[in-house]
Amino acid sequence: MNAFGFEVAPHHDARIPVVRHGISRWRASLYLLLAVLLSAGVILVPLCATVVLSLSHGLGAYDVLSDGKVLQALGNSFVWLVLAVVVCAVGLGLAWLARNAGPVLGGVLRFLLVLPAAVSPLTTGAIFRLMFDTNPRRGLVNALLGTEVAFLGPVWIWLVFGLALIWQWAGVAFLVFHEALARMPTNLLRMARAFGIGRRRRVWSVVLPALAGPAALAYLFALVAAARVFDVVLMGAPGSMQAEIEGGGLFWWRHHGDLGDTRASALSVGLSVLVALMAVPALSGLRGRVTWADPVATAPSRKGWRVWLPCVAVSVLWVLPFAVLVLTSLRDPVAAALSGWWSGGPWTLGSYADALADPGFLGALGTTFVRAFVVVCLVLLAAVPAAYVLAHEHLLPRRAWRPVLLVAVALAVLPPQAFAVPLQRSLSPVGTTPALAIVHAALVIPLAVLVLHNAFVRVPAPMLARDRWELFHVVREARPAVVLAGVLAFVLVWNDTVVGLLLNWPAGDHLQLILLEQSRHFMSAASALAAEAVIATAVPVLVVVATARWLYRGLTRGVRR
């Protein structure tokens, strides 16, 4: 029985075969050079400097971790990281719900559920603050319930922001699990039933191994979002309530000047260790080498309304926050400050006209676009050859391969505050614009390498030329994953607030910083803020829509076939 349980688990090895006439190790080192230089120079070296600084007076600085407010902030960080698991669970549940939805309804769900991932956390915070305002004249949820619940108070605030994280990132997990369920090895499940294997054993022997790789990828994306929670709290929570849910990163940004360099560095180290420990479970799944079968053709569902009704309800729930933002932006600023959009007009495009007439906003729009484009080029230039080398395990010493992947996972989820102080000092002579591009690229490269590596190992061996041009053949076959890495870099840079605050706040030429400045008078400027947020959101949404076909393949299979 145990032997059968081992046999039914999908352990097929789809790795690129070891060939003697492939690229040499010195050439592989060149392929890794740019990624290593950027990651080491911007992340690893400053992180080591942070650790050294925290130990400059022995372990005394680590008494900061016993401070009540610091412990609360780290505890909040742990809650946010646990919410990443909830995001994956919701994504899996939605994928199970939509497994018989059919091509049309399933396609609508895939489109609608993934769109929030293109929205900046700053905008997400604004949307959920508008929806859950305590005043029933302004808050949609209170208006629907006919009550005056303090959703942004101490009792409900975690629920509100947990829903915000789920709304923004569960769609990514949904896409991954939806494809995984469609490619579940049903022949193995039938064989297990024929041998009398119980349902629980089938889950452990077949289902869980088949979902391990997709679950690790979904968890990694959710963990990156949860580890870097910052702007959604800064925008969405009232000032008096931010301490209730702010994580260690936001607490560090507020108080690092008061703590001093050594104690702030100790806090950074503690936060980094917490995030790295939570990232370890993703490692085993990302190392999987599963050969996926073709999607299983399913007969049209006979459940009728039992399938489409929940799917339509989910679609409406995912569209509603977008509707709140757009309708708020179309209201007269005075009316928007006093009541919600359901109260009626006057309706106007005045807020859009004001935003487009603001030279500061337009300048930030152009600057952020150029910066994002430059970062995309840097990320692909560094991540593609690095992921190619990692996909060829024989090019690295066997003992080095697993630690390299572990470091890549850790760097992918590491919050920028962990190495911010040394980074500020070392990059100040470089200048704001080059420094921001370099930092953004270094932060995205580890995640891009993991995404590309996940695709490169799935390139079928017969497709490869096994010569000096093999990299180009691999990139051609894994083009969807390359597109995904580029779009991921663009969206992360476009929607960034943290790096901008750490390195660009005096200049303020990054788009999200303009929105953050507008939020200082949140309710009185709701219409203007919503209009600017709609314009800022339109660009990454259009990028996602234009590349949707490639993104879906890149996120689920990674290769063209």
Side-chain angles (χ1 to χ4, degrees), residues 22-25 28-29 31 388-397:
I23 64 173
S24 60
R25 288 193 175 182
S29 301
Y31 283 2
Y388 170 74
V389 171
L390 287 179
H392 291 70
E393 294 184 21
H394 67 283
L395 295 177
L396 292 175

Side-chain angles (χ1 to χ4, degrees), residues 298-349:
T298 56
S301 174
R302 298 180 181 178
K303 297 182 180 179
W305 63 269
R306 295 182 180 179
V307 172
W308 65 259
L309 185 59
C311 292
V312 170
V314 169
S315 300
V316 171
L317 287 175
W318 250 255
V319 168
L320 183 60
F322 286 108
V324 170
L325 184 68
V326 172
L327 292 173
T328 301
S329 71
L330 294 173
R331 298 196 72 212
D332 177 77
V334 175
L338 298 176
S339 60
W341 54 267
W342 59 92
S343 301
W347 304 98
T348 175
L349 293 174

Side-chain angles (χ1 to χ4, degrees), residues 370-560:
V370 172
R371 185 174 291 139
F373 179 78
V374 171
V375 170
V376 169
C377 296
L378 281 174
V379 167
L380 293 182
L381 192 62
V384 167
Y388 170 74
V389 171
L390 287 179
H392 291 70
E393 294 184 21
H394 67 283
L395 295 177
L396 292 175
R398 180 166 297 183
R399 294 181 179 179
W401 189 85
R402 184 179 176 88
V404 167
L405 193 60
L406 178 61
V407 169
V409 171
L411 294 183
V413 301
L414 201 64
Q417 292 87 340
F419 44 85
V421 172
L423 196 61
Q424 287 172 333
R425 297 172 179 173
S426 60
L427 290 182
S428 56
V430 179
T432 302
T433 300
L436 274 179
I438 292 171
V439 173
H440 279 302
L443 287 173
V444 178
I445 282 171
L447 185 59
V449 166
L450 292 172
V451 168
L452 291 168
H453 164 267
N454 200 39
F456 287 176
V457 296
R458 294 180 182 176
V459 174
M463 297 284 181
L464 304 181
R466 300 174 185 169
D467 56 19
R468 66 169 57 186
W469 303 109
E470 181 179 313
L471 173 59
F472 295 96
H473 295 287
V474 173
V475 170
R476 182 187 61 190
E477 292 301 316
R479 195 182 309 161
V482 176
V483 173
L484 172 63
V487 172
L488 185 67
F490 184 93
V491 171
L492 289 177
V493 174
W494 184 272
N495 291 335
D496 170 75
T497 303
V498 181
V499 175
L501 278 175
L502 294 176
L503 300 178
N504 189 233
W505 178 243
D509 63 351
H510 199 74
L511 184 60
Q512 300 303 321
L513 300 185
I514 302 295
L515 298 182
L516 184 61
E517 186 68 22
Q518 186 76 271
S519 70
R520 292 180 181 274
H521 308 285
F522 186 88
M523 292 315 305
S524 61
S527 178
L529 176 61
E532 291 184 353
V534 169
I535 296 172
T537 301
V539 175
V541 166
L542 288 175
V543 171
V544 169
V545 170
T547 58
R549 181 168 61 95
W550 293 102
L551 292 182
Y552 176 65
R553 293 181 181 179
L555 190 61
T556 54
R557 281 163 278 176
V559 294
R560 293 191 300 173

